[in-house]
């Protein structure tokens, strides 16, 4: 079987699966349904196709129906019979498919445009595009995914937001609102819709900037409650360096220079898309050395269960909440609050505001962002050394030692 390019037989899955590829693409035809065939490429890809002669156009018309592993023979025969009827009525099924595709592009559903938004905007412009995808899948598409973008009304979006708010997730309702705004504005830019239905919609709740910082007593209690698992060592690293939880979580051994006491975070991992050099103080180096003993060949400083992947972004959050619950604190705290705690203590230690902001890699505004190209490495080193001493003093009652680094990176 398979050598004859025009072989015809009654399709069964066992016979189709037994077809073997040849040096060129070949076709086998169904003896039961006129026009139905299976294409077998030289790489072994098998697809149901329909082809029949159009008397109206004086040429054969072809339509690919689907892979044999994802479509049943019964469904393929059903579609082939419908297409044959259309051809007999004079329909150009190839032109019709092109017109339908163009119509989908001109008037996509929310689900179809969401794919375009993720691929052509979010993945290119947002490091958090996976969160956008999650919000779409969970909050948006189940409610309005089948509607055409041009048909979506503000009332439809209110229903989306209501569903989220009714779960008690007011902050997530705001996040969903923001994503809808971004996606429909992008649809306007792409000339898919004329006006955004999100315009004029207010957020469900006002979000005040978090102000939570750990007191000296809480710092000591929290640090002493931390174990040596990657999820808890990450929390120590955040508190020792003040760096963003996500950037600590994704740290790789290729970015660490223990001898020079430096950690270089590449631009594709930082929030402001700028390479960030972090001087490592005594406590940070001790954390890194402990993780090195457990690395077991992982590329990540804080590996996940598979070793070749980093910890999930929720792991440090969950570990912190469990520790806070164990400590019996009445006020919650997050990994980012540890970073705010470091920034506040740098101010208490008299660290220059510019140096502190550079150390935390906050994006600068105004003319200094354009003209100030000083790397502040020595100043950042001195700042983190001071914080190291203060943290050491809190934890042990003794001063920590200042870590010196080489000038060259």
């Amino acid at each position: 079987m398979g050598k004859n390019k025009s072989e015809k037989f009654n399709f069964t899955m066992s016979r189709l699966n037994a077809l073997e590829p040849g040096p060129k693409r070949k076709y086998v035809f169904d003896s039961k349904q006129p026009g139905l065939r299976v294409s077998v490429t030289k790489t072994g890809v098998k697809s149901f196709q329909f082809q029949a002669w159009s008397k109206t156009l004086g040429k054969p018309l072809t339509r690919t129906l689907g892979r044999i592993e994802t479509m049943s023979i019964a469904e393929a025969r059903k579609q082939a019979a419908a297409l044959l009827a259309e051809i007999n009525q004079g329909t150009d099924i190839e032109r019709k498919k092109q017109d339908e595709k163009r119509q989908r592009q001109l008037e996509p559903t929310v689900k179809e445009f969401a794919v375009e938004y993720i691929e052509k905007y979010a993945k290119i412009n947002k490091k958090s595009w996976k969160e956008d995808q999650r919000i779409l899948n969970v909050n948006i598409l189940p409610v309005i995914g089948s509607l055409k973008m041009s048909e979506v009304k503000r009332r439809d979006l209110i229903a989306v937001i209501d569903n989220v708010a009714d779960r008690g997730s007011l902050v997530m309702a705001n996040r969903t609102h923001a994503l809808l705004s971004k996606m429909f504005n992008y649809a306007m830019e792409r000339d898919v819709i004329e006006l955004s239905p999100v315009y004029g919609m207010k957020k469900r709740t006002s979000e005040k900037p978090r102000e939570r910082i750990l007191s000296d007593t809480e710092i000591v209690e929290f640090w002493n409650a931390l174990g040596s698992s990657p999820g808890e060592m990450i929390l120590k690293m955040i508190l020792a360096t003040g760096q963003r939880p996500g950037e600590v979580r994704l740290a790789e051994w290729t970015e660490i220079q223990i001898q020079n006491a430096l950690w270089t975070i590449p631009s594709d991992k930082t929030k402001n898309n700028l390479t960030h050099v972090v001087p490592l103080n005594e406590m940070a180096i001790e954390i890194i050395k402990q993780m090195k003993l457990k690395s077991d060949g992982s590329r990540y400083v804080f590996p996940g269960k598979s070793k070749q992947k980093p910890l999930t972004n929720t792991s440090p959050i969950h570990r912190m909440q469990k520790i806070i619950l164990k400590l019996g604190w009445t006020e919650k705290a997050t990994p980012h609050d540890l970073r705010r705690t470091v920034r506040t203590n740098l101010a208490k230690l008299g660290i220059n505001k510019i140096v502190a902001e550079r150390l935390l890699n906050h994006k600068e505004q105004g003319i200094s962002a354009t003209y100030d190209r000083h790397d502040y490495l020595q100043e950042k080193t001195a700042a983190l050394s001071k914080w190291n001493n203060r943290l050491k003093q809190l934890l042990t009652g003794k001063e920590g030692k200042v870590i010196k680094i080489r000038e060259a990176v």
Side-chain angles (χ1 to χ4, degrees), residues 3-4 49 63 71 113 132 134 136 143 158 195 208 253 255 287 343 345 394 399:
K3 292 184 178 180
N4 190 336
Q49 292 183 343
R63 174 82 67 86
M71 177 178 284
F113 187 76
D132 282 9
R134 189 189 71 80
L136 281 164
V143 184
I158 290 173
L195 295 173
K208 296 180 180 179
W253 289 112
E255 301 164 4
I287 293 167
R343 177 62 181 87
N345 276 276
L394 287 173
E399 290 281 331

Side-chain angles (χ1 to χ4, degrees), residues 151-394:
E151 295 173 347
V152 176
K153 307 299 182 184
R154 184 180 299 176
R155 187 65 189 169
D156 299 314
L157 302 184
I158 290 173
V160 171
I161 302 300
D162 280 348
N163 283 349
V164 180
D166 289 346
R167 302 198 306 257
S169 305
L170 294 181
V171 173
M172 179 50 67
N174 283 353
R175 300 290 182 272
T176 304
H177 176 279
L179 175 54
L180 286 168
S181 179
K182 177 62 69 176
M183 188 170 77
F184 278 89
N185 283 340
Y186 183 65
M188 287 176 59
E189 294 176 13
R190 305 282 290 183
D191 203 25
V192 173
I193 58 175
E194 292 186 5
L195 295 173
S196 170
V198 188
Y199 182 75
M201 285 181 61
K202 294 182 179 180
K203 292 182 177 181
R204 285 307 168 94
T205 183
S206 59
E207 295 180 46
K208 296 180 180 179
R210 285 185 61 85
E211 300 176 350
R212 176 78 161 105
I213 62 169
L214 272 61
S215 67
D216 289 352
T217 300
E218 288 177 325
I219 290 174
V220 174
E221 288 181 353
F222 182 71
W223 185 282
N224 289 336
L226 289 170
S228 59
S229 69
E232 295 181 38
M233 294 296 275
I234 280 180
L235 299 173
K236 284 188 175 183
M237 190 69 169
I238 297 169
L239 196 50
T241 65
Q243 301 310 300
R244 291 185 176 90
E247 293 165 4
V248 176
R249 183 177 67 86
L250 296 175
E252 298 182 41
W253 289 112
T254 55
E255 301 164 4
I256 304 292
Q257 298 179 49
I258 296 180
Q259 185 179 6
N260 289 340
L262 294 175
W263 169 26
T264 302
I265 308 175
S267 59
D268 61 350
K269 289 185 178 180
T270 62
K271 187 175 181 179
N272 59 11
N273 295 315
L274 296 175
T275 300
H276 181 42
V277 179
V278 182
L280 298 173
N281 55 24
E282 177 189 10
M283 302 189 80
I285 288 177
E286 181 59 32
I287 293 167
I288 288 170
K289 286 181 176 180
Q290 288 183 44
M291 293 310 302
K292 190 67 174 178
L293 294 175
K294 304 176 182 180
S295 64
D296 196 24
S298 175
R299 60 187 277 202
Y300 294 100
V301 179
F302 304 97
K305 291 182 178 179
S306 71
K307 296 296 182 182
Q308 295 312 311
K309 291 184 179 181
L311 280 172
T312 62
N313 60 353
T314 58
S315 181
I317 299 172
H318 291 160
R319 293 307 307 161
M320 188 162 185
Q321 297 314 312
K322 286 183 179 180
I323 292 171
I324 288 174
L325 185 63
K326 181 180 178 181
L327 292 172
W329 292 359
T330 57
E331 189 175 1
K332 293 183 179 180
T334 68
H336 197 82
D337 292 337
L338 301 179
R339 176 172 157 88
R340 186 180 298 105
T341 298
V342 175
R343 177 62 181 87
T344 301
N345 276 276
L346 291 175
K348 289 181 179 179
L349 291 170
I351 303 301
N352 180 280
K353 180 179 179 180
I354 294 177
V355 175
E357 292 296 286
R358 287 295 185 102
L359 178 58
L360 270 67
N361 202 25
H362 282 154
K363 189 172 183 179
E364 287 189 88
Q365 303 294 331
I367 195 168
S368 63
T370 303
Y371 292 102
D372 188 352
R373 297 302 181 186
H374 179 49
D375 63 14
Y376 288 88
L377 183 56
Q378 296 302 318
E379 293 89 341
K380 291 190 295 185
T381 302
L384 268 187
S385 291
K386 281 189 176 182
W387 169 235
N388 180 88
N389 288 348
R390 176 56 181 160
L391 188 54
K392 189 89 169 184
Q393 187 179 42
L394 287 173

Side-chain angles (χ1 to χ4, degrees), residues 24-25 28 34 57-58 119 139 145 153 213 246 295 377 381 403:
K24 294 182 179 180
R25 182 190 293 265
V28 294
L57 300 175
E119 294 297 325
N139 298 340
K153 307 299 182 184
I213 62 169
S295 64
L377 183 56
T381 302
I403 299 294

